[in-house]
């Protein structure tokens, strides 16, 4: 075997080790679960409330992340201000900070004794240990993934293309919606799917900031945590449902740009 | 007959552009070494560069006058722009690229009329067969025609072409140069192009402005530049030739 062949084989072997590490735990759960286990797990009283809460909160947090994150990503991508570097750093912080720390930070911000606690109390609002807290925790941990992907995608839009759109009669806002956004859509969708997946799996910040109350703040990861304490098989079924559902939704989100392109109206 | 004049004094980073040019229906060629300010000048005309001092009058309309605080927005200037690399919208097909300028604003047409007009322009440029294609699959020459068609569809008062032939190989460039010259004559309105190729200037019969380090150092016909080059760059640009060599 020549030198190139050796390194190629070594690279493949290392890759296979990593892929196995990602795949084998999923397979291990699959082979240890029977059809009856799955039916029993789905019928468990903890399952449906946790699933619905997860779907509801992750949908809302994704919508809010896109709504708040898209203008920010556009500004980060198009502004020449030096402050963009600082803001980018701030946006990336939740990726490197442990979720439990973010949970403590959120409690110190929105909790009764927190920074905004008295203000919220005066307004009659109480956020910790509610579904709103779940959503806020999900936004905090997942939005950096969306913003980074969207910013990177927006940076690929050449300024000249937008200038051409302006010369053709589009205002700056119209050029953004008609040119920059559609061109960046694949990257934005990829970022949104990453953010959604991160929200769906969020555990640490939610546990500390929203608690683990059935029907109120118990999302699927927290339900798995609760199930683990008494019934491992139940936890495995919950996990498999999360893996299956997450995989399907992620694939659908990734296929969205292609679907849009294929179904787009053909010129007459 | 539409005439125009533009003067600009603008700092872009450490670069200072300080130039004034004017023209009428005859094409104007802006030549100069890389980094001399040619593209910056065009970007001033479309409204992408905001000058410290500047004036841009197109026909009888004042589009920029820093002294009177006039700065007509890009979308209202009726200046067609074909940038380097053509700037086609990759998410739209050819027909929707060409019809983009007819979707909203003062040129708005409904869908059927928009497509009809876009097809007409494509036919005039001899590329109607490209109408349903995605722009990603087009050759450099095809992209150039689509970008030109897209700029012409709004019937601009002034057409700007930034190195329109630079992305083409030598044989395509020769063919496209002649076609471009014919189309610009049919267009019948002022145009400005930047180029590094003296043959573009010759075929278009353009009036030339030479830009070096942000300043106009010479202007005139190609014959004038051949006879009296004002700098080493101009001498190199025209080469050891007579006007007959290029026409």
């Amino acid at each position: 075997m020549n030198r190139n062949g050796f390194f190629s084989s070594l690279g493949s072997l290392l890759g296979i080790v990593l892929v196995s590490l990602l795949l084998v735990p999923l397979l291990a759960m699959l082979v240890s679960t029977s059809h009856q286990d799955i039916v029993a797990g789905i019928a468990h009283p903890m399952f449906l409330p946790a699933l619905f809460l997860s779907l509801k909160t992750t949908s809302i947090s994704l919508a809010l992340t896109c709504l708040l994150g898209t203008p920010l990503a556009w500004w980060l991508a198009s502004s020449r201000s030096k402050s963009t570097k600082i803001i980018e750093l701030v946006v990336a912080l939740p990726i490197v900070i442990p979720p439990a720390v973010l949970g403590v930070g959120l409690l110190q911000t929105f909790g009764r004794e927190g920074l905004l606690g008295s203000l919220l109390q005066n307004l009659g609002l109480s956020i910790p240990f509610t579904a709103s807290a779940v959503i806020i925790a999900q936004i905090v941990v997942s939005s950096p993934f969306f913003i980074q992907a969207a910013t990177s995608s927006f940076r690929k839009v050449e300024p000249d293309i937008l200038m051409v759109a302006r010369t053709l009669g589009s205002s700056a806002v119209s050029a953004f919606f008609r040119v920059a956004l559609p061109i960046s859509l694949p990257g934005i969708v990829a970022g949104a799917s990453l953010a959604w997946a991160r929200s769906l799996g969020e555990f640490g910040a939610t546990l500390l900031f929203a608690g683990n109350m059935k029907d109120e703040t118990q999302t699927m990861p927290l339900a798995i945590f609760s199930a683990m304490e008494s019934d491992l098989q139940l936890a495995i079924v919950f996990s498999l449902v999360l893996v299956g559902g997450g995989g399907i939704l992620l694939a659908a989100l990734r296929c969205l740009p292609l679907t849009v392109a294929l179904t787009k109206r053909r010129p007459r | 007959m539409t005439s125009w004049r533009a003067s600009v004094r603008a700092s872009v980073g450490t670069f200072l552009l300080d130039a004034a040019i004017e023209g009428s229906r005859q094409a104007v060629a802006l030549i100069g070494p890389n980094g001399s300010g040619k593209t910056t000048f065009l970007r001033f005309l479309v409204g992408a560069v905001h000058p410290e001092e500047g004036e841009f009058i197109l026909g009888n309309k004042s589009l920029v006058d820093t002294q009177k605080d006039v700065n007509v927005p890009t979308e209202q200037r009726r200046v067609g722009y074909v940038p380097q690399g053509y700037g086609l919208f990759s998410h739209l097909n050819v027909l929707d690229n060409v019809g983009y300028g007819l979707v909203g604003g003062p040129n708005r047409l409904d869908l059927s009329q928009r497509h009809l007009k876009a097809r007409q322009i494509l036919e005039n440029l001899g590329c109607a067969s490209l109408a349903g294609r995605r722009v990603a699959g087009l050759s450099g020459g095809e992209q150039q025609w689509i970008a030109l068609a897209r700029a012409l569809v709004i019937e601009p008062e002034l057409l700007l072409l930034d190195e329109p032939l630079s992305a083409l190989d030598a044989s395509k460039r020769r063919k496209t140069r002649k076609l471009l010259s014919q189309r610009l004559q049919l267009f019948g309105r002022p145009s400005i192009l930047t180029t590094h190729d003296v043959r573009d200037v010759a075929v278009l019969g353009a009036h030339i402005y030479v830009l070096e380090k942000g300043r106009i150092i010479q202007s005139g016909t190609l014959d004038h530049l051949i006879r009296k080059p004002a700098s080493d760059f101009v001498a190199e640009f025209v080469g050891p030739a007579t006007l007959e060599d290029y026409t």
Side-chain angles (χ1 to χ4, degrees):
Chain A
M1 192 187 288
N2 63 23
R3 201 179 164 88
N4 283 345
F6 170 75
F7 278 112
S8 173
S9 302
L10 183 67
S12 303
L13 190 68
L14 293 172
I16 288 167
V17 170
L18 184 59
V19 171
S20 302
L21 198 60
L22 300 174
L23 201 60
V24 169
L26 300 180
L27 290 174
M29 287 195 293
L30 200 62
V31 296
S32 62
T33 308
S34 68
H35 175 71
Q36 286 82 359
D37 290 333
I38 292 175
V39 173
I42 289 172
H44 193 278
M46 224 165 30
F47 177 74
L48 278 180
L51 182 67
F52 283 134
L53 186 70
S54 273
L55 291 177
K56 188 176 89 176
T57 53
T58 54
S59 301
I60 295 171
S61 67
L62 180 62
L64 288 172
T65 296
C66 292
L67 188 71
L68 302 172
T70 304
L72 177 61
W74 177 247
W75 177 75
L76 288 172
S78 56
S79 172
R80 290 179 186 172
S81 163
K82 284 176 185 166
S83 58
T84 56
K85 300 264 184 252
I86 299 163
I87 302 294
E88 274 190 87
L89 202 67
V90 171
V91 165
L93 267 180
I95 295 175
V96 295
I97 292 176
V101 176
L102 294 174
V104 173
L106 287 171
L107 263 181
Q108 280 304 101
T109 307
F110 297 103
R112 202 177 296 169
E113 306 297 321
L115 202 63
L116 303 177
S118 55
L119 178 71
L120 291 169
Q121 265 189 328
N122 289 342
L123 294 169
L125 294 172
S126 176
I127 290 176
F129 308 106
T130 63
S132 301
V134 176
I135 293 166
I136 291 172
Q138 287 171 349
I139 291 173
V140 170
V141 298
S142 69
S143 59
F145 294 94
F146 174 79
I147 293 165
Q148 286 194 342
T151 303
S152 164
S153 202
F154 281 139
R155 284 204 172 115
K156 289 176 190 153
V157 180
E158 290 171 33
D160 259 348
I161 288 186
L162 294 176
M163 192 42 65
V164 169
R166 299 285 310 276
T167 65
L168 294 169
S170 286
S171 64
V173 174
S174 170
F176 171 78
F177 282 107
R178 289 179 60 201
V179 177
L181 201 56
I183 288 177
S184 311
L185 195 61
I188 290 172
V189 170
S193 54
L194 268 178
W196 180 80
R198 179 66 189 86
S199 286
L200 193 66
E202 163 46 29
F203 177 80
T206 311
L207 184 64
L208 287 171
F209 183 44
N212 183 10
M213 292 174 283
K214 186 173 169 292
D215 297 341
E216 286 182 45
T217 64
Q218 189 178 68
T219 57
M220 280 302 280
L222 294 168
I224 293 169
F225 176 67
S226 295
M228 280 283 282
E229 291 176 338
S230 56
D231 185 349
L232 178 62
Q233 200 56 51
L234 187 64
I236 292 173
V237 173
F238 285 5
S239 304
L240 282 175
V241 171
L242 211 53
V243 170
I248 290 167
L249 278 170
L250 206 56
L253 276 170
R254 288 284 169 105
C255 290
L256 187 67
L258 183 67
T259 315
V260 169
L262 289 174
T263 55
K264 209 172 166 221
R265 177 179 29 81
R266 289 257 155 208
R268 283 183 226 165
Chain B
M1 185 186 292
T2 310
S3 62
W4 58 271
R5 70 171 193 271
S7 62
V8 57
R9 184 179 164 82
S11 302
V12 183
T14 55
F15 177 78
L16 177 68
L17 176 66
D18 189 357
I21 66 176
E22 61 182 13
S24 56
R25 197 175 142 180
Q26 185 189 14
V28 163
L30 204 51
I31 66 166
N34 285 335
S36 59
K38 304 186 294 294
T39 298
T40 307
F41 199 96
L42 297 191
R43 288 170 64 79
F44 159 68
L45 296 179
V46 294
V49 170
H50 302 289
E52 287 99 55
E53 288 172 37
E55 186 186 40
F56 177 24
I57 292 172
L58 179 57
N60 54 8
K61 278 180 277 185
S62 174
L63 300 180
V64 178
D65 188 338
T66 47
Q67 285 192 339
K68 293 179 182 167
D69 208 21
V70 173
N71 186 11
V72 173
T74 301
E75 57 270 29
Q76 292 169 20
R77 291 190 182 193
R78 298 187 69 83
V79 173
Y81 181 42
V82 179
Q84 283 181 45
Y86 313 128
L88 293 178
F89 307 135
S90 57
H91 62 297
L92 300 177
N93 67 18
V94 166
L95 201 62
D96 288 331
N97 260 275
V98 176
Y100 183 94
L102 307 174
V103 173
N107 302 301
R108 191 182 183 285
L109 292 177
D110 66 34
L111 183 70
S112 58
Q113 283 181 309
R114 190 161 74 231
H115 280 172
L116 187 68
K117 188 164 181 181
R119 278 185 198 282
Q120 277 171 353
I121 293 260
L122 287 170
E123 265 171 39
N124 290 343
L125 293 176
C127 44
S129 61
L130 302 176
R133 298 256 308 266
R134 308 285 306 172
V135 296
L138 301 178
S139 69
E142 288 168 339
Q143 287 187 35
Q144 200 242 347
W145 288 121
I146 303 311
L148 185 62
R150 186 181 57 181
L152 291 177
V153 83
I154 59 162
E155 297 172 15
E157 297 291 332
L158 173 67
L159 181 63
L160 310 177
L161 305 159
D162 196 0
E163 299 191 24
L165 307 177
S166 63
L168 307 181
D169 62 40
S171 66
K172 277 186 184 155
R173 199 180 303 169
R174 197 165 44 242
K175 208 165 139 187
T176 310
R177 184 181 293 124
K178 280 187 183 164
L179 280 169
L180 182 64
S181 165
Q182 289 165 5
R183 297 303 164 196
L184 289 183
Q185 275 173 7
L186 282 174
F187 171 57
R189 291 181 189 181
S191 55
I192 306 173
L193 87 159
T194 66
T195 180
H196 285 285
D197 195 328
V198 65
R199 287 165 296 190
D200 299 345
V201 178
V203 168
L204 290 167
H207 186 85
I208 305 167
Y209 283 90
V210 184
L211 202 53
E212 281 192 35
K213 293 179 183 168
R215 286 180 169 74
I216 300 291
I217 61 148
Q218 187 173 17
S219 74
T221 61
L222 179 57
D223 189 35
H224 173 68
L225 265 66
I226 289 170
R227 282 188 284 107
K228 286 184 180 173
S231 71
D232 290 345
F233 169 80
V234 179
E236 238 171 74
F237 180 83
V238 297
T242 63
L243 185 60
E244 285 71 32
D245 293 327
Y246 297 122
T247 51

